Amino acid sequence: MAFFLLKLIFFGLSFMSNLVLRLIFSATAHLVVLLINGYRAPRQATHGLLQQLSEVIKSCFQYMLKLIMEAVSALISALYDYLKEGLTGSASVATSAIGGLIEKTKNSLDGLTDFPEVFEGLSEMVSQMVMDLWNNCKDALGYITENA
């Protein structure tokens, strides 16, 4: 069951990696083709297009930076709250919880015998991510050469 869960996690990571890489390469290829085709237009139209594009990119980066800062702030606040709760809690409760956690971890690690399968699944995930990266890059370059 644990091996199936790890396979599922590895598949999910590979899928998300492929999706993000395809989005990045595809968007870049479309942008390059747009820019190349834009240079065929009159100079003033190209300049206006590039200004608008730079404003859009700038506003996107500002928005993303704002979201990242809010997320980091919320994360730090949450970590501070958890630390505060943990320090103000009872020492005996914390000690017994840590002892129980160590015992459960030890028991679960004693039953874990699928290390070769885990490493095999991990290597499959990494090789799939590399192949997806190569295919996405190749597709983006092919799109540029066909449409530019």
Side-chain angles (χ1 to χ4, degrees):
M1 180 66 179
F3 179 70
F4 175 73
L5 185 60
L6 284 172
K7 279 271 199 193
L8 188 62
I9 290 171
F10 291 157
F11 173 76
L13 288 173
S14 295
F15 176 75
M16 291 302 294
S17 169
N18 183 30
L19 187 66
V20 168
L21 290 173
R22 177 160 296 281
L23 178 69
I24 289 171
F25 282 117
S26 188
T28 304
H30 282 80
L31 183 62
V32 168
V33 168
L34 182 69
L35 288 174
I36 289 172
N37 290 333
Y39 282 121
R40 294 179 186 154
R43 188 174 182 95
Q44 291 177 343
T46 304
H47 182 68
L49 175 69
L50 290 176
Q51 279 184 329
Q52 288 179 355
L53 184 65
S54 68
E55 290 297 321
V56 167
I57 291 172
K58 190 185 303 182
S59 65
C60 286
F61 277 126
Q62 287 175 349
Y63 181 72
M64 296 265 299
L65 184 61
K66 186 185 202 182
L67 286 177
I68 290 171
M69 292 299 289
E70 288 176 5
V72 168
S73 175
L75 179 66
I76 289 172
S77 177
L79 287 175
Y80 177 73
D81 290 341
Y82 283 131
L83 181 65
K84 184 178 172 183
E85 288 177 16
L87 291 176
T88 58
S90 168
S92 64
V93 172
T95 304
S96 66
I98 290 172
L101 181 63
I102 290 173
E103 184 177 330
K104 287 181 182 180
T105 304
K106 181 182 172 191
N107 291 339
S108 67
L109 286 177
D110 288 340
L112 188 62
T113 59
D114 297 333
F115 279 122
E117 293 174 354
V118 169
F119 289 126
E120 180 182 325
L122 182 65
S123 68
E124 287 176 16
M125 180 191 71
V126 170
S127 67
Q128 184 65 38
M129 290 171 78
V130 170
M131 288 300 296
D132 290 341
L133 173 71
W134 175 252
N135 289 336
N136 289 332
C137 183
K138 192 169 59 172
D139 291 344
L141 289 175
Y143 179 80
I144 290 171
T145 56
E146 288 175 9
N147 296 313

